[in-house]
Amino acid sequence: LGVDPAEEAPKLALSDETRPIAEKYVCIAVQASTQCKYWNNPTGWMEIVAYLKKQGYRVICIDQKSVHGTAIVWNHISYRIINWYTCNFCWNDERERFDHHDFLWCPRHANTPHQFECTRLITSQQVIAKISAVIKGNAHSEIPYAEKILSQNLLIL
């Protein structure tokens, strides 16, 4: 396509580069376009937010919508994490054809007790362990890969 493959930093001209919030804070973005992308642990986000507040952080959710869902499933605040000990990676499996029109898309376990186990079985303790390592500056500490946070949904400032 004639596009230079070299990385180039974006050129941004911000009118105000001062810190928008004086105290320590964490930004989270938890909503997703379909249920398979959510952290389906029913108390996970509440426990993470409580933990972060206890650590002295103000928690700011930067999602466009405060709730999102369809029919009987409405999500209030989900996190991109992988648990290698459950069903996982249908989203990245080229054999699975994602159905954009099915909010409850779960190709391997739809309508079974295993639906969304890939995220439902990730505990808040696993996430807190990783967050603690990030706060302490040990983002690559001895935390098993199964508990690794894909940091696109958490920003500690």
Side-chain angles (χ1 to χ4, degrees):
L1 299 173
V3 177
D4 185 356
E7 289 189 29
E8 185 177 324
K11 295 175 182 133
L12 300 173
L14 302 175
S15 60
D16 182 3
E17 294 186 33
T18 60
R19 191 178 170 95
I21 300 170
E23 65 262 37
K24 299 186 305 183
Y25 65 97
V26 175
C27 292
I28 57 174
V30 301
Q31 298 298 349
S33 57
T34 59
Q35 198 63 39
C36 66
K37 298 178 190 178
Y38 279 91
W39 181 17
N40 287 285
N41 180 316
T43 61
W45 275 112
M46 291 182 290
E47 293 170 10
I48 295 303
V49 169
Y51 167 79
L52 288 167
K53 286 182 176 181
K54 187 175 179 182
Q55 299 304 308
Y57 289 94
R58 181 174 170 191
V59 180
I60 301 168
C61 184
I62 59 172
D63 285 312
Q64 178 187 24
K65 300 173 184 173
S66 58
V67 296
H68 184 66
T70 188
I72 63 169
V73 179
W74 289 91
N75 300 281
H76 292 266
I77 67 171
S78 190
Y79 222 94
R80 185 71 182 235
I81 308 163
I82 299 170
N83 183 336
W84 295 100
Y85 302 108
T86 66
C87 181
N88 61 61
F89 271 101
C90 57
W91 179 248
N92 296 318
D93 188 343
E94 61 189 35
R95 296 169 296 179
E96 301 293 352
R97 188 87 173 146
F98 177 61
D99 182 353
H100 292 274
H101 302 289
D102 182 3
F103 186 82
L104 301 176
W105 180 77
C106 180
R108 299 177 186 153
H109 299 294
N111 302 313
T112 74
H114 294 285
Q115 187 167 6
F116 306 126
E117 74 177 10
C118 53
T119 58
R120 189 179 67 250
L121 298 179
I122 295 169
T123 69
S124 53
Q125 296 309 324
Q126 290 172 304
V127 177
I128 287 171
K130 185 61 177 178
I131 291 171
S132 295
V134 170
I135 290 171
K136 293 175 185 169
N138 277 333
H140 302 290
S141 64
E142 298 297 316
I143 296 171
Y145 190 67
E147 299 174 11
K148 190 178 255 186
I149 294 177
L150 300 180
S151 61
Q152 69 192 40
N153 290 59
L154 175 70
L155 178 61
I156 298 176
L157 300 170

